[in-house]
Amino acid sequence: NAGVTQTPKFQVLKTGQSMTLQCAQDMNHNSMYWYRQDPGMGLRLIYYSASEGTTDKGEVPNGYNVSRLNKREFSLRLESAAPSQTSVYFCAGGMNTEAFFGQGTRLTVV
Amino acid sequence: DQQVKQNSPSLSVQEGRISILNCDYTNSMFDYFLWYKKYPAEGPTFLISISSIKDKNEDGRFTVFLNKSAKHLSLHIVPSQPGDSAVYFCAANDPLTGTASKLTFGTGTRLQVTL
């Protein structure tokens, strides 16, 4: 039982490159979330998915897209990476009011 | 406009003493509050929560107090232990229509428990 698994753990991109962050959960949660953590900013919600087939914008969605492929998987895509997207990204699965987080992806855009 | 605020970026406490971490919020629609603990290079882990209809919840060494009129909550850790050294995030639940909920996080307080 791994909980929430994110890949990759680390990534360096050049400005303008694209990539997809993968997230999978084995906890049967209906809801899944993508957050980013920046120094002094806490965790900010990028996108969330209330259930399979639905996605909604969070607080900081610009520059990102998401796909809820099935109940287990929720991916985050950066189409054209920018240095401002350098951050630590966390995926979470949730049920009601509690969220369970993955270990994070540290992304650097140079 | 930050709806959940943790005004103390860091706190240092001696082992065995009480640690008090504070959190303020502005949105009166928040119906549930949570504390998360985060170690370096790991994801946040759930610690304790409280519903807006209560004013106190206790779990072992951890107690959360909620003052709705002041829009303030606090986490008390007694006694503090070196393993409690971590970043603590306060989070508030914004109820949405449908089945999803949305957590809004504070900026975190780094707690260091010294020997």
Side-chain angles (χ1 to χ4, degrees), chain A residues 33 35 37 40 45 96-97 99 102, chain B residues 32 36 38 43 101-103 107:
Chain A
Y33 308 85
Y35 287 86
Q37 183 194 5
L45 182 64
N96 297 324
T97 54
Chain B
Y32 206 78
Y36 280 81
K38 185 183 180 303
S101 59
K102 190 167 71 171
L103 293 179
T107 53

Side-chain angles (χ1 to χ4, degrees), chain B residues 22-34:
Chain B
N22 294 304
C23 179
D24 297 294
Y25 63 96
T26 57
N27 188 344
S28 58
M29 297 301 292
F30 289 147
D31 66 350
Y32 206 78
F33 302 89
L34 306 90

Side-chain angles (χ1 to χ4, degrees), chain A residues 31 33 35 37 40-43 45 48 50-51 90 96-103, chain B residues 2 32 34 36 38 41-44 46 89 93 96 99-103 105-107:
Chain A
S31 303
Y33 308 85
Y35 287 86
Q37 183 194 5
M41 303 292 286
L43 289 104
L45 182 64
Y48 66 98
S51 61
F90 290 100
N96 297 324
T97 54
E98 189 175 330
F100 299 87
F101 287 84
Q103 290 208 318
Chain B
Q2 198 148 19
Y32 206 78
L34 306 90
Y36 280 81
K38 185 183 180 303
E42 295 184 10
F46 170 75
F89 289 99
N93 182 59
L96 301 171
T99 58
S101 59
K102 190 167 71 171
L103 293 179
F105 284 81
T107 53

Side-chain angles (χ1 to χ4, degrees), chain A residues 65-106:
Chain A
N65 285 301
V66 289
S67 296
R68 183 74 183 270
L69 304 169
N70 46 56
K71 192 170 187 179
R72 288 189 65 246
E73 297 172 290
F74 188 39
S75 62
L76 178 72
R77 183 160 178 84
L78 287 72
E79 290 291 351
S80 179
S84 62
Q85 294 178 304
T86 293
S87 187
V88 181
Y89 292 85
F90 290 100
C91 176
M95 186 174 293
N96 297 324
T97 54
E98 189 175 330
F100 299 87
F101 287 84
Q103 290 208 318
T105 296
R106 183 174 292 276

Side-chain angles (χ1 to χ4, degrees), chain B residues 60-97:
Chain B
R61 297 186 296 113
F62 303 92
T63 303
V64 57
F65 296 92
L66 175 63
N67 182 333
K68 280 187 67 177
S69 61
K71 293 190 174 69
H72 176 84
L73 65 156
S74 60
L75 174 68
H76 293 210
I77 306 173
V78 183
S80 300
Q81 299 174 353
D84 296 330
S85 296
V87 176
Y88 290 79
F89 289 99
C90 170
N93 182 59
D94 187 353
L96 301 171
T97 57

Side-chain angles (χ1 to χ4, degrees), chain B residues 12-62:
Chain B
S12 183
V13 172
Q14 274 191 320
E15 182 181 11
R17 308 292 288 267
I18 184 171
S19 295
I20 300 176
L21 293 86
N22 294 304
C23 179
D24 297 294
Y25 63 96
T26 57
N27 188 344
S28 58
M29 297 301 292
F30 289 147
D31 66 350
Y32 206 78
F33 302 89
L34 306 90
W35 285 94
Y36 280 81
K37 177 178 180 179
K38 185 183 180 303
Y39 293 117
E42 295 184 10
T45 55
F46 170 75
L47 190 58
I48 192 170
S49 62
I50 187 167
S51 166
S52 60
I53 63 173
K54 296 189 175 182
D55 55 17
K56 178 182 175 181
N57 187 28
E58 193 171 353
D59 183 1
R61 297 186 296 113
F62 303 92

